[in-house]
Amino acid sequence: MAAVVDEQQVLRRRGVFRRPSATTGAWSWFTTVDHKRIGKLYGYTSFAFFLLGGIEALLIRLQLARPNGQVLSADVYNQIFTMHGITMIFLVVMPMSGAFFNYLVPLMLGARDVAFPRLNAFSYWVFLGGGLFLYSGIFLGGLPDGGWVGYAPLSTQNIAVHRMDFYALGLLILGISSTVSAINFAVTIINMRAPGMSLMRMPVFVWMTLVVSFLLIFALPVLTIGLVELFFDRQFQTTFFQAAQGAQGDPILWQHLFWLFGHPEVYILILPAMGIVSEVLPVFSRKPLFGYPVVVFSGIAIGFMGWGVWAHHMFVTGLGPVANSAFALSTMFIAVPTGVKIFNWLATLWRGDIRLQTPMLFSLGFIAMFTIGGLSGVTHAVVPADYQQSDTYYIVGHLHYVLFGGSIFGLFSGFYYWWPKFFGRMLSEGLGKLHFWLMIIGFNLTFGPFHILGLQGMPRRIYRYEEGLGFDFWNLVSTVGAFMIALSIAVFIFNVVRAHRRDEPAPEDPWDARTLEWTTTSPPPAHNFDEIPVVRSLDDFWHRKYAEGQDGRLAPVVAGGADAQGAVAVRRDDAGHGNDSGSGDGSGGHGGHGIHMPSPSYFPLLAALGLPVLAFGLLYSTFLVADGVLLLLLGLYGWAMEPSAE
Amino acid sequence: MAERAATAVPEPEVHATSTGLSNVKLAMWAFLGSECLLFGALISTFLLYQGRSEGGPTPSKVYDIPFTSVSSFVLLMSSLTMVLALSAIQRRDEPKMRAWLMATALLGMTFIAGQVYEFTTFVNEGLSLTSSAFSSSFFLMTGFHGAHVTGGILLLLSLVGMSLDGRLPPERSETVELAGLYWHFVDIVWIVIFAAAYLIPTAT
């Protein structure tokens, strides 16, 4: 690694700051601008939040296991279920997808880093600051308690405590992080592709990242304004969302702004997982993805149509028959590109040489669970049926089938698939399969009964229910299922710890993969590729390994073919520069020699620190506001004046 | 080796990119796209609430349209001076660029001064942030715009400072171009806000 930072580097003093140069050691994580390390930071942080959100879920299930639950008070329950939703959406699925974007997109494109490495570090630190800010309420009068959707008047009342102020400001901070990172990835994908990597040769995962980036760029500002107006209502006595006591505001405006962000957000949460599944299925079926352009275009279509369906979250507010019909229709239409994708995945499997390894199991689980969630979603499009389902556990069941059965299964598929790439270690297949079966059974036990409970009329967000309403049995089943999911996560953690204790290096290309990230070492050197690859086709790495013979059967191109040595041989062959270091490790031999990578920097962290300080200042003291602004400006100015690499 | 050179050089301006557009310029366009939705949400809120002014003066009572027209004209003229600043640096005439950047900043400050005067007058006439739904949405929308203009002024002054410091040579004219993109965007948004808030009569 040291070679990458470069021997000719001179440490220059800049005022009191000396440019950090370490690329190893604990401190280097604070100053890193390497997309792979930032990806890991996103991964570690979001997994920690995943455990936190999971504990909140278990508390909810404990409380609801029996009638008249005594575990939590109503007040604590409100905070717990609100934070469970916020955590899982903003602090788990979004940043965990971000971890995959960060780590994989440059590798899949054949690039050395993202377009703006320091901005990337800034996004991460802002995300961490926003997450901690949201949870800081635990010491300051309570956590947000108005539901993750923050509907007025629940969000605008009770201004004596700052709970929903933490919600408004925390989500504002997280929104800045996501917007900045989305711009970064959109530019990276549009502009940083290796020679020959045309748009229609990009892996589907990269395509989905691009669609998600545009959704974030356009959806978040709408939430931003909603949150600013909410904050004004709470702190400056405006009445944007308040209609009580003669105030002229309109609580429905919040719902429009929130869902105009919120429905694209649903696709922001699911499209990355769809991308992962689209990478995993072809590898484990040993077939190209069926109808690649159709999968890409239906992803884009979902991205566009996702803007025209938001009011289906609001049928019960009484929008009138015209609006209801229009949004019901658009909602049914958006099921079409989604269905197209599912059929393409199934066709990819059709007559494939299927290997049921753990990543594949999770991807298949994704397809099955997401299909159930998608179908229950279409039932909400039927307005009269939606009147019946709104605010019941049926909705909760639906959203968990798409966000847990969909997104989380997809993300775990990605973990198992790319773990050897991220860490150079294989996760155990046996434990992985145990994890999968525990999780899918636990998942269905937990969330399947929600549909029944919902149709029986159990409202969501209640902290307690009476005995004899017919809710007892299925709630208990659901709680048992929730603990089974918890057990499956424990198996996953054990699997990870075990793999890293054993210290057996993973093969270079363990799955016989198809995309560029597998052409470099695992984990890749800081500069990713010794030679920037030249791309000749979709699934380029596969075509370097295999050619179709006369009889239509695949034949390995180079002796050795699919095994690790073969993969390395192919890479060397293609590079044509006679890298004879023999280690295949970029830091040895000529690898990495003379390649300038962006230098580490303090300033993204410094600037990012300014935001939570500023937010605390808005709640507690103008003095802190000044401090926050100062930190932000100092960070940004230092950043602007500092060259990206020295 | 060409590929290596592409990522080896630290300055983003000289990256060979897939589209030929520079990374920073693309990022700026993406950011401005995001800003469109930001102002879209503000303007939507305003359009919803502009007729709700119980508890305070109505729009037609407080607006001084000739005054705001003049300050709008000042702001639009600042786009012209911004174009001249970019043109100057592209002709490698740094002193002239600084002059036009200063002119742009001054015109922006004139607009902001006008807004401060206007807000003060409104408050004196009984239209405060909290007096009605109309006033809240008006102040939030125009306030957000004013904050954007103020940010733009700081950006322009920083450019002048950088140029005096020798950090803004003609080779980096793209920095001025990007500042220009932002500045023109803020101006264009004002045209929409001015039309929506001042020129289209309130329904009630």
Side-chain angles (χ1 to χ4, degrees):
Chain A
M1 287 254 213
V4 181
V5 189
D6 218 28
E7 46 286 315
Q8 50 190 298
Q9 246 186 51
V10 190
L11 285 176
R12 275 195 288 160
R13 278 196 169 277
R14 302 179 171 280
V16 287
F17 288 111
R18 182 194 285 253
R19 183 93 188 234
S21 60
T23 51
T24 51
W27 181 245
S28 70
W29 287 97
F30 291 94
T31 58
T32 186
V33 294
D34 177 351
H35 71 96
K36 296 177 291 297
R37 304 185 99 201
I38 293 170
K40 284 185 179 177
L41 286 173
Y42 266 110
Y44 298 144
T45 314
S46 56
F47 194 76
F49 279 122
F50 180 61
L51 296 180
L52 190 58
I55 290 168
E56 287 158 357
L58 291 180
L59 285 172
I60 294 172
R61 285 318 317 163
L62 275 179
Q63 166 74 10
L64 296 178
R66 307 293 309 144
N68 299 312
Q70 302 292 334
V71 181
L72 306 171
S73 67
D75 181 46
V76 175
Y77 184 86
N78 287 345
Q79 299 174 46
I80 295 279
F81 87 75
T82 300
M83 283 314 288
H84 169 73
I86 294 172
T87 304
M88 289 304 191
I89 287 164
F90 292 98
L91 306 177
V92 178
V93 176
M94 284 173 80
M96 211 178 258
S97 306
F100 284 97
F101 297 168
N102 264 285
Y103 203 101
L104 293 170
V105 165
L107 285 167
M108 285 181 157
L109 290 174
R112 294 237 151 88
D113 208 320
V114 293
F116 306 104
R118 283 176 296 174
L119 207 57
N120 201 22
F122 177 74
S123 304
Y124 169 73
W125 294 112
V126 173
F127 151 64
L128 181 64
L132 295 178
F133 177 82
L134 262 171
Y135 269 99
S136 65
I138 206 165
F139 307 109
L140 298 163
L143 295 164
D145 59 358
W148 87 274
V149 292
Y151 278 5
L154 286 176
S155 57
T156 49
Q157 70 194 9
N158 206 1
I159 53 173
V161 284
H162 283 312
R163 293 176 176 182
M164 290 309 279
D165 295 316
F166 283 109
Y167 170 89
L169 296 176
L171 292 193
L172 272 173
I173 296 176
L174 292 173
I176 291 171
S177 159
S178 304
T179 309
V180 167
S181 136
I183 291 176
N184 204 344
F185 280 104
V187 174
T188 303
I189 294 169
I190 293 172
N191 249 359
M192 307 272 286
R193 287 167 280 135
M197 177 66 86
S198 61
L199 288 175
M200 292 312 278
R201 287 180 188 167
M202 296 197 308
V204 175
F205 178 74
V206 177
W207 261 113
M208 292 307 110
T209 309
L210 185 62
V211 175
V212 167
S213 300
F214 277 111
L215 287 177
L216 284 166
I217 288 171
F218 294 121
L220 282 164
V222 181
L223 177 69
T224 298
I225 292 306
L227 292 168
V228 168
E229 291 174 352
L230 171 62
F231 187 74
F232 268 60
D233 272 6
R234 294 184 57 86
Q235 293 294 318
F236 306 121
Q237 292 83 47
T238 56
T239 56
F240 285 107
F241 306 130
Q242 301 185 64
Q245 286 142 21
Q248 303 146 26
D250 193 340
I252 302 299
L253 175 65
W254 165 264
Q255 295 193 22
H256 279 295
L257 292 175
F258 184 85
W259 288 116
L260 188 50
F261 149 78
H263 205 83
E265 169 73 13
V266 171
Y267 297 107
I268 289 163
L269 299 170
I270 194 68
L271 288 174
M274 288 182 167
I276 291 172
V277 169
S278 303
E279 296 305 317
V280 169
L281 289 175
V283 169
F284 291 86
S285 309
R286 297 177 66 79
K287 265 180 70 189
L289 183 68
F290 183 86
Y292 165 88
V294 179
V295 176
V296 168
F297 280 109
S298 41
I300 298 171
I302 292 173
F304 274 105
M305 293 166 76
W307 290 91
V309 296
W310 80 89
H312 68 208
H313 296 271
M314 301 163 57
F315 284 149
V316 288
T317 56
L319 298 171
V322 176
N324 281 355
S325 311
F327 281 98
L329 273 177
S330 64
T331 305
M332 290 181 198
F333 273 128
I334 204 169
V336 175
T338 319
V340 166
K341 282 193 159 204
I342 290 174
F343 283 112
N344 276 284
W345 293 324
L346 294 179
T348 305
L349 298 170
W350 180 251
R351 302 184 72 174
D353 179 7
I354 292 177
R355 292 173 296 169
L356 284 178
Q357 284 166 295
T358 314
M360 183 62 159
L361 285 177
F362 274 98
S363 280
L364 294 177
F366 167 95
I367 297 177
M369 297 304 105
F370 180 78
T371 304
I372 297 175
L375 288 176
S376 64
V378 176
T379 66
H380 309 325
V382 184
V383 179
D386 185 74
Y387 283 174
Q388 200 64 33
Q389 298 156 0
S390 274
D391 288 320
T392 71
Y393 261 82
Y394 188 88
I395 301 281
V396 185
H398 158 73
L399 75 91
H400 281 94
Y401 267 83
V402 289
L403 293 184
F404 191 138
S407 304
I408 298 285
F409 272 73
L411 291 168
F412 270 113
S413 178
F415 277 139
Y416 280 96
Y417 179 59
W418 280 297
W419 205 269
K421 180 52 53 190
F422 297 159
F423 297 100
R425 300 280 176 277
M426 295 295 286
L427 294 176
S428 146
E429 272 299 306
L431 287 170
K433 283 176 179 154
L434 179 65
H435 171 195
F436 171 74
W437 287 112
L438 277 174
M439 195 158 181
I440 197 159
I441 295 170
F443 169 80
N444 281 294
L445 279 181
T446 312
F447 301 109
F450 283 11
H451 297 102
I452 303 168
L453 286 169
L455 292 180
Q456 283 175 343
M458 178 167 165
R460 65 192 287 200
R461 305 190 183 102
I462 51 157
Y463 85 112
R464 196 178 260 197
Y465 52 91
E466 297 290 318
E467 208 174 342
L469 292 173
F471 301 155
D472 310 10
F473 174 71
W474 288 116
N475 269 303
L476 187 62
V477 171
S478 172
T479 303
V480 171
F483 278 87
M484 215 158 146
I485 297 174
L487 182 65
S488 79
I489 300 299
V491 172
F492 173 71
I493 295 172
F494 176 69
N495 197 351
V496 168
V497 172
R498 182 174 162 279
H500 287 254
R501 282 251 173 93
R502 297 185 105 192
D503 212 29
E504 277 171 29
E508 294 273 318
D509 181 19
W511 315 113
D512 200 8
R514 314 177 72 87
T515 37
L516 280 183
E517 76 273 21
W518 297 99
T519 61
T520 184
T521 52
S522 299
H527 56 279
N528 291 353
F529 302 97
D530 290 352
E531 300 290 335
I532 294 292
V534 176
V535 180
R536 297 194 182 81
S537 63
L538 178 67
D539 290 340
D540 195 59
F541 182 42
W542 178 264
H543 291 295
R544 289 191 221 174
K545 292 187 290 188
Y546 297 99
E548 219 166 89
Q550 294 282 324
D551 52 353
R553 284 171 174 276
L554 290 175
V557 171
V558 186
D563 67 30
Q565 290 309 311
V568 175
V570 173
R571 189 178 78 247
R572 298 255 168 72
D573 213 41
D574 195 69
H577 273 261
N579 175 1
D580 51 5
S581 71
S583 68
D585 175 0
S587 60
H590 95 297
H593 190 80
I595 298 175
H596 271 273
M597 292 303 291
S599 308
S601 173
Y602 293 115
F603 294 113
L605 174 58
L606 195 68
L609 258 179
L611 289 172
V613 173
L614 174 62
F616 278 120
L618 285 173
L619 297 182
Y620 295 104
S621 121
T622 4
F623 177 68
L624 274 180
V625 173
D627 279 359
V629 171
L630 204 66
L631 263 177
L632 189 64
L633 287 181
L634 204 70
L636 292 179
Y637 262 84
W639 183 342
M641 294 302 155
E642 175 190 69
S644 75
E646 303 196 34
Chain B
M1 287 309 282
E3 301 92 64
R4 177 181 297 181
T7 39
V9 189
E11 292 300 327
E13 286 87 350
V14 282
H15 271 204
T17 61
S18 310
T19 55
L21 283 170
S22 82
N23 286 344
V24 270
K25 198 182 278 179
L26 260 186
M28 180 53 93
W29 279 110
F31 170 70
L32 296 181
S34 187
E35 292 275 277
C36 286
L37 272 285
L38 188 94
F39 282 103
L42 284 165
I43 293 169
S44 307
T45 305
F46 176 80
L47 291 177
L48 178 66
Y49 289 153
Q50 64 171 344
R52 303 188 191 180
S53 41
E54 291 157 47
T58 57
S60 51
K61 282 248 173 62
V62 286
Y63 284 166
D64 181 353
I65 292 179
F67 175 83
T68 316
S69 304
V70 170
S71 74
S72 305
F73 180 75
V74 168
L75 188 65
L76 293 189
M77 282 308 103
S78 73
S79 265
L80 177 64
T81 54
M82 188 71 228
V83 170
L84 292 171
L86 177 62
S87 151
I89 191 168
Q90 282 170 344
R91 284 181 284 107
R92 314 184 74 83
D93 189 348
E94 290 179 56
K96 202 161 254 175
M97 174 205 65
R98 287 193 290 270
W100 285 124
L101 283 179
M102 277 310 290
T104 312
L106 282 172
L107 288 171
M109 287 184 223
T110 313
F111 173 82
I112 291 297
Q115 194 173 40
V116 170
Y117 169 78
E118 188 187 37
F119 279 15
T120 318
T121 318
F122 284 3
V123 172
N124 288 338
E125 291 174 13
L127 190 82
S128 70
L129 175 67
T130 53
S131 41
S132 64
F134 153 67
S135 76
S136 305
S137 60
F138 173 83
F139 281 116
L140 191 70
M141 173 176 70
T142 49
F144 248 85
H145 180 264
H148 275 75
V149 176
T150 310
I153 293 169
L154 292 177
L155 191 67
L156 295 172
L157 294 178
S158 310
L159 290 184
V160 173
M162 277 169 74
S163 173
L164 287 171
D165 207 24
R167 287 166 172 273
L168 196 59
E171 293 72 45
R172 298 193 58 191
S173 69
E174 194 182 40
T175 312
V176 180
E177 197 182 341
L178 293 178
L181 279 179
Y182 174 80
W183 191 262
H184 297 316
F185 169 80
V186 172
D187 279 10
I188 291 168
V189 168
W190 180 254
I191 297 178
V192 180
I193 292 180
F194 182 61
Y198 295 82
L199 300 185
I200 299 174
T202 315
T204 49

